Amino acid sequence: MNKKRILFVDDEPKVLQGITRMLRSQRNEWEIATAESGEQALALLAASPFDLIVTDMRMPGMDGAQLLNEVMKQYPQIVRIVLSGQSDQESIFRSVGPTHQYLSKPCDAETLKNTVERACSLQDVLANDALRRTASQMQSLPSLPALYTEVLKELQSPEPAIERISRIISRDAGMTAKILQLVNSAFFGFYRRINDPVQAIMILGLEKIRSLALTVHIFSQIDQAQWDRFNLGLLWKHNLLVGQCARDIGQTLNPDKFFLEEIYMAGLLHDIGKIILMANLPKEYEQVLSGSRLLPGISDITAEYGRFGASHAEIGAYLLGLWGLSTPIVEAVAFHHQPSQCRSQKFSPLTAVHAANGLLHEAQLPDKEIPGLDMEYIESLNLTGKLPAWRQISRELAEKRVDL
Amino acid sequence: MRKSKQKLLISRVVLMLFSLSLLPLLAGPEAATDEKVPVKIGILALRGPEHCMQKWGTTAEYLTKNISGCIFTIVPLAYPEVHSAVAQGKVDFILTNPAQYVALEIDHGTTRIITKMTMFDDIPLSTYAGVIFCRSGRPDIRSLADLKNKTFMAVDETSFGGWLMAWRELKNQGIDPKKDFAALRFGHTQDEIVRAVNERKVDAGTVRSGMLENMAAEGKIRLDEFYVINAHKEHAPGCKLPFLHSTSHYPEWPLARLCHTSARLAEHVAISLIQKASGCRLARQGGCLFWTVPLNYQPVRECLKELRFGPYHQPGIFAFRDVFRQYWTIPAGISIFTIIFIIVSVYVTRLNYKLQESNSIQKKEIAEREQAEQAMRQNEQRMDLALKGADLGLWDWYLQSGQVVFNRRWAEMLGYAPDEIEPNISVWNELVHPEEIPQREKVLQAHLAGKTPFYEIEYRLRTRSGGWLWILARGKVVEWDKDGKPFRGTGTHLDISERKQAEENLRNTYARIESLLAAISSVLIGIDQDNKITQWNLLAEKVFNIPAAQAIGQSFPHCPIPWEWTETLKDLPTLMLSNQSLHHENVRFHCCEGKEGILDITVSPVQGKADNLREFLLIGTDVTERRILETQLLHSQKMESIGQLSAGIAHEINTPIQYVGDNTRFMQEACADLFALLEKHHVLLEACRSGRVTPAMIQNIEAETKEYDLEYLKNEIPNSILQSLEGVERVATIVRAMRGFAHPDASREKIPANINQGIENTITVSRNEWKYAAEMHKNLDPELPLVSCLTGEINQVILNIIVNAAHAIQNVVGPDQKRKGNITITTGHEADWAEIRITDTGSGIPPEVRHKIFDPFFTTKEVGRGTGQGLAISRSVIVEKHGGTLDFETEIGKGTTFIIRLPVKSREEAGVA
């Protein structure tokens, strides 16, 4: 097994030495290299390939944000993490774009190790290098134009209402994912596991959301061309429905609020890989979709595997993993079509999302052959008895009119 | 036509006189101080010159004070001197008895302006009479007829009350003093007569009424030793003379102006004296002299006419009668009868001739008299003009008929033509302001009932245009009917609207000053030269919790003002002799409820009216709030820069914490590895001991040692310990510097501080601000003395300048931060001054903003980077709080040096030393 190559960059050599010593226990898995400046780091990157870069923000000469921007352009597949003691807003804003995750100094050894470890293991999720590059280059996930415009309008209004903004954002997978990235990372000096976009927006505050949206452009919208090509309205409605349905299913087993929020998030984001594909590889993806429709017996998933060597599930999970969203969400997204492949074998967001997705497809398109429920998986969790109730839930939801 | 011409002439004369007399008056008080016009008042000295000076001296002083540009002096005159003094114009005014006045009026055209009154038991009397008396122990003298063949003494041939009045009375009783008295002598002063009668030198005498009573009051005589002959018991209508008297009443002495004296001056004198009299009366002062409008002197003229005296003296008739009476009574011897007859015949013939001559003289004199009377009429007119000039309206009220006679001025004052006002009291009454009707009625009734000597009131009358005019009305009843009821009253009206306006203005001004003083947001205390508090405003009451009533009049140094008295405040009067203001800052005071405050006090001398009179005004501004705000502003700026610094400091601390933590984690793992290896070695050792060592064991140990990378551990463990210790020290240094930098200056008192240390601390805490822009160079003077200062605030200033320097360098080197500039901090000392120079290699300060850099809120930095408060506060800290200087030298493109100079000893210490 190849050792993961990790590059640490800091203008303080003692910090680099300390990190190197601290990661000595990983010496068999990781190969550590250090650089004392951005320039030196770029030189090392040019000399040999790396999987991950961890950099300080404020350094003489080229600073962390500049370095990561450069890395994103030249070596997009490298996972980009910031480890900084800096907390001034300006440099944070500059780093929001190119940074996948943000760690603040002082960072305890476990967090650093876990973060690096998770990022490294993500590479195993998505085997396709090209897709990895595509995903890790994405600074934002495109939103539905209607919602995007609505949010910007609200933010530019003289008296924007945070409640209205939360409501709009929480209906859009792209914006929600970005907000969760910012809150679940230490960009703004705090680091929380939060799965409720409304709460995340409250924590960030109106001022920061406004600056981020209007000047850093953390949100973006889908081109009209893609809108025309794909039936995006349907996809957005589906995302919302799966979110709601998964939450309702979860409620039948575990009424914990945090847990239900996580399930809803997982449901909302489960098809995020499709958005990545539509936005970045529209032609290829269109071919895949039309091909699968022409050939009976071949599902979209199979077609995706055939074309990309990976499905939208892995691509979406990879990006969300890069952005530091919680493991249950990433797993739910990654395995929502093949839940039994997941190591976790208990009721989780994955279970709820898988069930919701399958049952909703079943309810909406009873004739079309689509990958349905993994009954073995359900059975292994001893949840078969719950199915009639879940089916009932999904039917009721499917009949309801969903407005975006 | 003739009349109008005459009027024109008179008005011209008056106008001329008026304008002439105005000249000295118009010159104004300043000019007049140099050349004051002397004005002499001749006064007939009844009781000798000393008594006269004593009696009238104050009147002269009063006039001098009241009428600018003139110095009034009194010239006492004996009887014979009066005429000559007037004839030669030695005096400007003359106060003499009515007889002499009548003569002077005719001979020299003197004009009476006012009539003197005498006071008796608070009753002013405007008439007097003569009293004829003998010792009470003379039962042979009980009537005027009994005086025949007695010796008699009078004051002077021209004395009116002291002779002429008595003469007229004797004459009416058929007594010819020259013929019927055994002797007629003149004693020249009134006292002399009384003394002579008392000492039995003469049988009887005459003086003016009141003299006996006066002398008795003075203790010179006893009244019961005298008997008044022909004492009038009944009162003449309109005159209640409370003295013993034997003759008819005559008006009192007039004050007259000579014809060379200007009517204008006369008016001033008349008005001043009348006003003084009323002022006196109000104050009920003793020894006052009273005056009234000029009275009618006709009775005097009639008296003199009857006696053919003075101006009415007819020498021809007199000579004839004299001779006739003289020789008629001589017993003639028959032997010489014929001779005498012849002589008499011849004499008679000659006499006849003389008579004819005297007839023509008499005719001539009648003409002269008519002329004199015409002059008198002119004088009357002039008087009227004088009244008019004095703005006096006249009224004459017949109480029983209700008829009132007003003069022109009376009507004009109210805007009416004289014929527009019906001469009736009811018309007058209707003009009175409703508010003043009751008071006027009260005053009037009191006077009519005889309770007051005068009717006097200030009240408003409606003018023709409907406005209100303030009037001073003054008058008195002058005639009574036979039942003693008031019959006729006369008086004057004076327009006092200007005075009222002035009073009103004064009241308004006073009220305004009062409200200003009350509104002033400072404590205001007036202190007079005797250290007494004279002024204590509302805020003083509030701040010190002492009511004005309690404070005013107290001695200032002993007033329990709850502030911290400093010696300077106590020594106020001595200090004030230097005539300089005194400023005292930060005087602590304790207000109510135990709260403390701070006052800034300024004491200024205020020039009083007289040169030597000095007062002080103490103004205390409650600066408690301001001091708090100043502290808060400084504090907030400090907090702001600490906030700004905190990101940098956090980074500075985070870095060592990061590697100390990493190293410690490493050591934990390394120790675990070492102990595991040690355990394996221990097993090997046991095997060695027991001699059961196998080559596999040794191989195993070698493999393990390689696996644990012992070489790496050997190198890295000491390094990591060393770096951890160094990191901990770095954190400790930063924390210490922070504490030293943000010195709270809690006591707010300057303490001797090591400036170099402060600079080191400031450099450390601000490291993150400058380290990407510049290298820091220190050139600190090891000999720098301790400087008395507020350390925290000085550090703040140094920080502000360092941050500015870093920003200035960033402007030059740009954001790429590849090149760095230099910041050099140098300290030094010279005499009692410490100097800190902070030099940067930045952009320099553009000339156009150099004068503005210390202004509050001035900044050249982009929004969010600077508030524009840093240098403004720095200057305030250095200059105002420490008495130092803050300057800068700058060159565009080369950089800037800020120079802080601080006195080694604070002002407070220097003051103590």
Side-chain angles (χ1 to χ4, degrees):
Chain A
M1 188 177 129
N2 280 340
K3 279 189 184 179
K4 297 288 177 195
R5 287 175 53 78
I6 305 166
L7 177 59
F8 284 90
V9 189
D10 200 302
D11 61 330
E12 175 58 69
K14 288 177 189 131
V15 170
L16 295 174
Q17 290 177 34
I19 288 171
T20 313
R21 288 181 196 124
M22 189 262 286
L23 295 178
R24 176 176 167 272
S25 55
Q26 313 295 121
R27 61 190 179 276
N28 294 326
E29 292 90 49
W30 298 345
E31 200 176 314
I32 308 290
T34 60
E36 287 179 26
S37 72
E39 291 83 356
Q40 199 187 339
L42 287 177
L44 285 172
L45 290 172
S48 52
F50 281 88
D51 298 296
L52 207 135
I53 182 166
V54 181
T55 180
D56 189 15
M57 265 309 285
R58 188 155 190 185
M59 295 183 290
M62 180 186 280
D63 73 1
Q66 286 171 298
L67 174 62
L68 292 189
N69 266 314
E70 204 54 44
V71 172
M72 181 172 72
K73 267 185 246 162
Q74 293 184 28
Y75 316 100
Q77 75 283 2
I78 297 180
V79 177
R80 304 177 295 272
I81 293 175
V82 166
L83 172 61
S84 175
Q86 209 63 26
S87 58
D88 69 296
Q89 196 140 311
E90 192 213 336
S91 65
I92 289 167
F93 276 19
R94 287 201 300 124
S95 70
V96 161
T99 307
H100 291 131
Q101 286 184 56
Y102 201 107
L103 296 172
S104 66
K105 276 186 195 165
C107 179
D108 66 273
E110 287 316 311
T111 307
L112 184 62
K113 272 187 197 170
N114 285 342
T115 306
V116 172
E117 208 160 38
R118 253 183 104 223
C120 289
S121 65
L122 275 176
Q123 288 183 307
D124 303 331
V125 171
L126 192 59
N128 186 324
D129 260 5
L131 281 183
R132 276 217 299 272
R133 269 199 290 279
T134 304
S136 76
Q137 257 177 323
M138 296 195 78
Q139 298 186 36
S140 65
L141 277 166
S143 303
L144 206 59
L147 296 171
Y148 175 78
T149 321
E150 214 179 319
V151 163
L152 289 204
K153 208 173 123 193
E154 184 66 33
L155 285 171
Q156 281 164 325
S157 79
E159 280 175 30
I162 198 154
E163 297 79 19
R164 258 203 300 283
I165 289 162
S166 316
R167 211 165 49 233
I168 304 162
I169 289 178
S170 60
R171 302 176 82 81
D172 184 87
M175 290 191 279
T176 300
K178 190 71 194 178
I179 291 290
L180 290 183
Q181 179 203 8
L182 293 177
V183 175
N184 285 302
S185 211
F187 281 98
F188 297 101
F190 45 80
Y191 169 75
R192 301 244 201 111
R193 277 275 159 243
I194 285 166
N195 294 311
D196 177 15
V198 179
Q199 205 186 342
I201 287 163
M202 292 292 187
I203 286 170
L204 286 176
L206 196 60
E207 264 320 300
K208 280 207 185 78
I209 300 269
R210 188 141 83 165
S211 313
L212 287 166
L214 301 178
T215 62
V216 185
H217 307 294
I218 56 164
F219 303 142
S220 62
Q221 59 178 330
I222 285 178
D223 288 355
Q224 193 59 41
Q226 269 76 282
W227 177 258
D228 296 341
R229 199 170 291 182
F230 307 102
N231 193 349
L232 287 173
L234 203 66
L235 178 61
W236 254 258
K237 280 177 188 169
H238 173 66
N239 286 344
L240 274 177
L241 269 182
V242 172
Q244 284 172 29
C245 187
R247 186 174 55 198
D248 291 353
I249 286 169
Q251 192 128 37
T252 61
L253 288 165
N254 186 349
D256 177 67
K257 189 168 175 283
F258 182 85
F259 184 63
L260 295 180
E261 281 165 357
E262 200 165 39
I263 292 176
Y264 176 79
M265 238 355 86
L268 183 70
L269 301 174
H270 76 284
D271 273 348
I272 206 127
K274 288 187 181 171
I275 302 172
I276 298 171
L277 290 169
M278 288 170 186
N280 295 286
L281 306 161
K283 273 182 200 159
E284 292 90 332
Y285 192 51
E286 194 188 21
Q287 284 167 9
V288 168
L289 290 183
S290 54
S292 77
R293 269 159 213 157
L294 288 173
L295 298 167
I298 296 199
S299 70
D300 290 354
I301 307 286
T302 322
E304 282 170 15
Y305 277 116
R307 180 69 177 81
F308 304 118
S311 75
H312 66 270
E314 284 90 30
I315 297 168
Y318 179 70
L319 181 68
L320 295 180
L322 278 184
W323 282 7
L325 266 67
S326 70
T327 306
I329 294 176
V330 175
E331 282 179 348
V333 174
F335 303 113
H336 72 272
H337 288 295
Q338 295 115 345
S340 24
Q341 288 182 13
C342 183
R343 281 164 290 178
S344 164
Q345 292 300 317
K346 57 176 184 178
F347 184 80
S348 65
L350 169 63
T351 324
V353 172
H354 173 71
N357 193 35
L359 290 170
L360 280 169
H361 277 304
E362 192 186 285
Q364 288 169 325
L365 308 158
D367 310 327
K368 196 163 190 292
E369 195 180 329
I370 45 158
L373 286 175
D374 184 340
M375 290 312 290
E376 272 177 45
Y377 171 71
I378 306 278
E379 182 56 44
S380 74
L381 295 182
N382 289 328
L383 292 170
T384 318
K386 289 277 177 190
L387 271 177
W390 294 356
R391 192 165 272 125
Q392 183 61 28
I393 291 168
S394 64
R395 287 229 172 93
E396 279 168 17
L397 275 171
E399 279 158 21
K400 267 207 243 166
R401 201 184 139 79
V402 177
D403 287 324
L404 285 176
Chain B
M1 277 300 280
R2 260 187 66 193
K3 248 192 169 174
S4 65
K5 258 190 181 173
Q6 205 180 342
K7 267 190 176 172
L8 200 72
L9 189 74
I10 290 164
S11 60
R12 271 191 190 164
V13 169
V14 169
L15 203 69
M16 208 170 72
L17 283 168
F18 185 76
S19 47
L20 277 173
S21 65
L22 218 54
L23 282 175
L25 290 166
L26 284 177
E30 283 91 20
T33 47
D34 296 328
E35 25 182 316
K36 281 193 171 177
V37 179
V39 179
K40 287 180 182 148
I41 304 176
I43 295 176
L44 174 61
L46 268 189
R47 300 179 67 183
E50 283 143 47
H51 184 271
C52 177
M53 288 304 285
Q54 194 189 330
K55 188 172 176 184
W56 296 97
T58 52
T59 303
E61 281 168 25
Y62 166 75
L63 288 172
T64 306
K65 204 195 273 181
N66 254 30
I67 299 173
S68 55
C70 298
I71 295 177
F72 287 84
T73 48
I74 301 296
V75 182
L77 299 167
Y79 281 102
E81 292 166 355
V82 173
H83 234 85
S84 62
V86 173
Q88 293 163 23
K90 284 181 181 166
V91 293
D92 303 287
F93 290 92
I94 183 78
L95 177 68
T96 185
N97 70 34
Q100 283 200 335
Y101 163 69
V102 169
L104 294 171
E105 188 181 75
I106 292 165
D107 294 348
H108 302 293
T110 56
T111 314
R112 63 186 186 276
I113 57 170
I114 38 178
T115 296
K116 179 174 89 88
M117 298 173 90
T118 48
M119 265 321 244
F120 180 77
D121 277 355
D122 276 353
I123 301 166
L125 304 166
S126 56
T127 60
Y128 73 120
V131 55
I132 303 165
F133 62 98
C134 62
R135 281 184 57 79
S136 51
R138 289 292 298 266
D140 56 324
I141 306 171
R142 280 297 172 266
S143 71
L144 293 176
D146 297 336
L147 288 172
K148 280 190 180 175
N149 298 319
K150 299 287 186 312
T151 51
F152 193 88
M153 200 177 206
V155 180
D156 189 274
E157 245 180 329
T158 62
S159 169
F160 191 53
W163 171 236
L164 294 170
M165 289 186 198
W167 183 12
R168 189 185 185 191
E169 215 63 27
L170 289 165
K171 195 175 173 225
N172 287 343
Q173 294 292 322
I175 296 167
D176 182 345
K178 300 221 169 119
K179 197 178 100 196
D180 296 334
F181 284 154
L184 173 60
R185 280 153 58 186
F186 292 103
H188 303 297
T189 69
Q190 308 249 349
D191 303 52
E192 190 64 35
I193 316 302
V194 180
R195 239 186 339 263
V197 171
N198 201 19
E199 289 167 7
R200 299 181 177 85
K201 285 178 186 164
V202 291
D203 294 322
T206 184
V207 290
R208 56 170 290 157
S209 60
M211 187 52 65
L212 290 177
E213 284 88 345
N214 271 349
M215 288 180 71
E218 288 164 15
K220 289 179 182 162
I221 58 161
R222 278 168 45 200
L223 269 183
D224 59 3
E225 287 173 344
F226 295 89
Y227 176 77
V228 175
I229 307 157
N230 192 34
H232 284 213
K233 298 228 164 53
E234 82 288 3
H235 296 304
C239 180
K240 293 171 186 172
L241 200 55
F243 302 122
L244 294 165
H245 60 285
S246 317
T247 71
S248 304
H249 302 184
Y250 298 92
E252 264 282 6
W253 292 20
L255 176 67
R257 71 172 171 90
L258 270 62
C259 56
H260 73 262
T261 308
S262 79
R264 176 80 175 159
L265 179 60
E267 278 163 31
H268 274 270
V269 169
I271 291 163
S272 299
L273 288 175
I274 287 180
Q275 275 174 354
K276 187 194 180 199
S278 66
C280 263
R281 199 161 50 248
L282 289 174
R284 292 207 166 269
Q285 287 170 351
C288 249
L289 292 154
F290 296 101
W291 305 87
T292 186
V293 291
L295 296 183
N296 186 359
Y297 285 81
Q298 197 52 35
V300 181
R301 288 187 204 107
E302 273 159 17
C303 169
L304 296 186
K305 270 183 197 166
E306 230 177 271
L307 295 172
R308 298 205 180 99
F309 185 80
Y312 307 102
H313 175 56
Q314 291 163 359
I317 291 166
F318 235 98
F320 165 75
R321 283 187 176 178
D322 238 16
V323 172
F324 187 77
R325 283 181 182 175
Q326 198 92 35
Y327 298 103
W328 185 260
T329 56
I330 297 167
I334 292 164
S335 55
I336 54 162
F337 180 78
T338 40
I339 304 163
I340 292 165
F341 182 78
I342 292 160
I343 294 167
V344 169
S345 307
V346 171
Y347 195 68
V348 167
T349 319
R350 290 192 63 182
L351 212 70
N352 270 339
Y353 174 74
K354 263 193 177 176
L355 257 175
Q356 274 182 347
E357 211 181 17
S358 80
N359 256 350
S360 69
I361 291 170
Q362 202 177 351
K363 273 181 191 164
K364 198 177 146 198
E365 282 191 354
I366 287 168
E368 277 174 2
R369 203 159 64 211
E370 276 178 356
Q371 219 177 340
E373 273 166 8
Q374 198 190 334
M376 225 164 73
R377 270 198 301 280
Q378 280 187 6
N379 282 338
E380 296 279 340
Q381 281 173 332
R382 258 185 235 156
M383 186 60 214
D384 200 38
L385 281 168
L387 282 173
K388 200 173 163 191
D391 254 4
L392 285 175
L394 282 183
W395 49 268
D396 197 352
W397 176 24
Y398 295 87
L399 281 87
Q400 272 139 26
S401 66
Q403 193 199 11
V404 187
V405 179
F406 309 111
N407 74 346
R408 172 182 287 272
R409 179 62 199 149
W410 195 101
E412 278 173 356
M413 221 177 257
L414 299 172
Y416 292 101
D419 53 1
E420 273 184 304
I421 294 201
E422 202 187 316
N424 196 290
I425 188 71
S426 60
V427 176
W428 185 359
N429 286 343
E430 274 168 25
L431 295 176
V432 178
H433 193 286
E435 283 176 23
E436 271 119 28
I437 290 172
Q439 177 63 13
R440 176 172 174 263
E441 195 57 25
K442 202 175 130 194
V443 172
L444 183 64
Q445 290 309 327
H447 177 63
L448 292 181
K451 287 177 194 158
T452 54
F454 275 95
Y455 158 71
E456 186 176 294
I457 185 173
E458 289 177 1
Y459 70 131
R460 277 169 288 177
L461 286 181
R462 194 171 53 241
T463 62
R464 191 169 196 260
S465 57
W468 296 102
L469 187 74
W470 274 103
I471 296 276
L472 168 64
R474 197 181 269 159
K476 67 177 290 182
V477 175
V478 292
E479 281 179 33
W480 284 258
D481 65 9
K482 57 184 187 305
D483 303 327
K485 281 188 183 160
F487 179 75
R488 180 183 170 204
T490 63
T492 56
H493 266 186
L494 181 66
D495 174 358
I496 55 166
S497 52
E498 274 182 31
R499 196 191 84 202
K500 278 282 170 186
Q501 188 58 50
E503 280 174 10
E504 178 69 22
N505 289 349
L506 201 67
R507 261 197 304 278
N508 286 345
T509 308
Y510 187 73
R512 207 160 56 231
I513 289 170
E514 280 294 300
S515 58
L516 266 178
L517 288 184
I520 279 176
S521 60
S522 298
V523 169
L524 206 130
I525 303 173
I527 306 154
D528 72 5
Q529 56 183 2
D530 301 323
N531 265 336
K532 291 263 185 303
I533 293 170
T534 57
Q535 193 65 254
W536 189 266
N537 75 344
L538 208 65
L539 206 80
E541 287 189 335
K542 232 168 83 182
V543 166
F544 301 134
N545 203 20
I546 300 175
Q550 200 183 316
I552 288 174
Q554 276 217 51
S555 157
F556 175 68
H558 297 109
C559 188
I561 301 171
W563 65 30
E564 289 176 9
W565 287 88
T566 64
E567 286 310 306
T568 2
L569 276 175
K570 278 185 182 161
D571 284 349
L572 209 60
T574 1
L575 244 138
M576 283 300 112
L577 287 177
S578 58
N579 208 12
Q580 279 170 345
S581 303
L582 176 100
H583 189 66
H584 232 277
E585 276 187 8
N586 299 333
V587 176
R588 286 182 177 274
F589 71 94
H590 311 272
C591 44
C592 42
E593 292 156 17
K595 275 188 267 177
E596 274 207 353
I598 299 166
L599 284 179
D600 275 2
I601 291 177
T602 306
V603 188
S604 316
V606 181
Q607 204 67 36
K609 219 175 175 187
D611 287 351
N612 56 347
L613 195 72
R614 220 186 287 228
E615 293 188 14
F616 316 112
L617 197 61
L618 183 148
I619 298 171
T621 313
D622 186 346
V623 293
T624 318
E625 286 290 311
R626 197 197 304 167
R627 292 283 182 274
I628 290 170
L629 281 178
E630 278 171 9
T631 315
Q632 281 173 349
L633 179 64
L634 191 78
H635 188 69
S636 74
Q637 209 257 338
K638 194 151 116 184
M639 288 316 289
E640 180 197 306
S641 54
I642 285 174
Q644 183 192 1
L645 285 181
S646 70
I649 291 173
H651 191 64
E652 290 298 311
I653 288 181
N654 282 342
T655 303
I657 292 282
Q658 180 70 49
Y659 65 73
V660 168
D662 290 347
N663 282 333
T664 312
R665 170 55 69 103
F666 161 69
M667 283 186 280
Q668 186 189 26
E669 287 173 3
C671 280
D673 287 358
L674 281 178
F675 288 140
L677 201 59
L678 203 60
E679 189 58 37
K680 295 212 161 80
H681 277 89
H682 187 71
V683 171
L684 186 66
L685 183 67
E686 284 300 318
C688 281
R689 240 181 232 151
S690 57
R692 284 178 296 167
V693 180
T694 61
M697 285 176 92
I698 294 168
Q699 254 176 7
N700 193 22
I701 285 285
E702 278 171 354
E704 289 284 340
T705 307
K706 204 177 172 193
E707 170 63 26
Y708 286 122
D709 201 358
L710 197 60
E711 276 308 303
Y712 178 79
L713 294 181
K714 261 196 206 156
N715 284 331
E716 291 303 310
I717 288 174
N719 269 345
S720 72
I721 291 173
L722 211 67
Q723 286 181 7
S724 297
L725 289 175
E726 186 267 347
V728 168
E729 179 51 33
R730 207 162 122 188
V731 172
T733 306
I734 293 168
V735 171
R736 271 197 300 269
M738 269 176 82
R739 212 167 42 200
F741 170 77
H743 193 280
D745 296 323
S747 60
R748 301 207 47 76
E749 271 177 28
K750 291 170 192 152
I751 45 166
N754 184 340
I755 293 284
N756 287 345
Q757 185 59 50
I759 292 172
E760 298 271 14
N761 287 342
T762 309
I763 290 173
T764 305
V765 296
S766 62
R767 201 174 112 85
N768 208 52
E769 305 300 314
W770 51 261
K771 74 171 178 186
Y772 299 106
E775 300 289 344
M776 182 66 71
H777 307 276
K778 290 176 285 186
N779 188 8
L780 305 180
D781 175 6
E783 304 288 312
L784 191 71
L786 297 181
V787 175
S788 215
C789 64
L790 300 164
T791 321
E793 298 189 5
I794 296 294
N795 288 345
Q796 180 70 36
V797 172
I798 294 167
L799 172 73
N800 287 339
I801 297 173
I802 289 177
V803 170
N804 283 349
H807 288 164
I809 291 169
Q810 273 163 14
N811 287 347
V812 175
V813 298
D816 64 351
Q817 300 170 345
K818 274 177 190 149
R819 289 180 294 134
K820 278 190 185 177
N822 289 304
I823 299 175
T824 310
I825 302 185
T826 312
T827 56
H829 71 284
E830 187 187 326
D832 283 337
W833 289 81
E835 189 181 83
I836 307 163
R837 300 175 75 92
I838 301 171
T839 304
D840 64 60
T841 55
S843 48
I845 302 167
E848 64 271 17
V849 303
R850 279 174 196 168
H851 66 284
K852 287 197 280 196
I853 64 163
F854 292 115
D855 294 350
F857 305 110
F858 175 78
T859 182
T860 55
K861 299 176 187 174
E862 65 262 40
V863 177
R865 209 169 181 194
T867 57
Q869 291 281 55
L871 281 178
I873 287 174
S874 299
R875 189 187 183 81
S876 152
V877 165
I878 298 296
V879 177
E880 281 161 33
K881 291 208 172 145
H882 291 86
T885 60
L886 176 58
D887 299 302
F888 64 94
E889 294 163 358
T890 186
E891 196 178 328
I892 293 293
K894 288 254 171 111
T896 305
T897 299
F898 276 88
I899 304 148
I900 302 167
R901 299 187 80 239
L902 290 170
V904 171
K905 282 179 181 164
S906 68
R907 270 174 296 193
E908 291 83 351
E909 284 178 326
V912 170

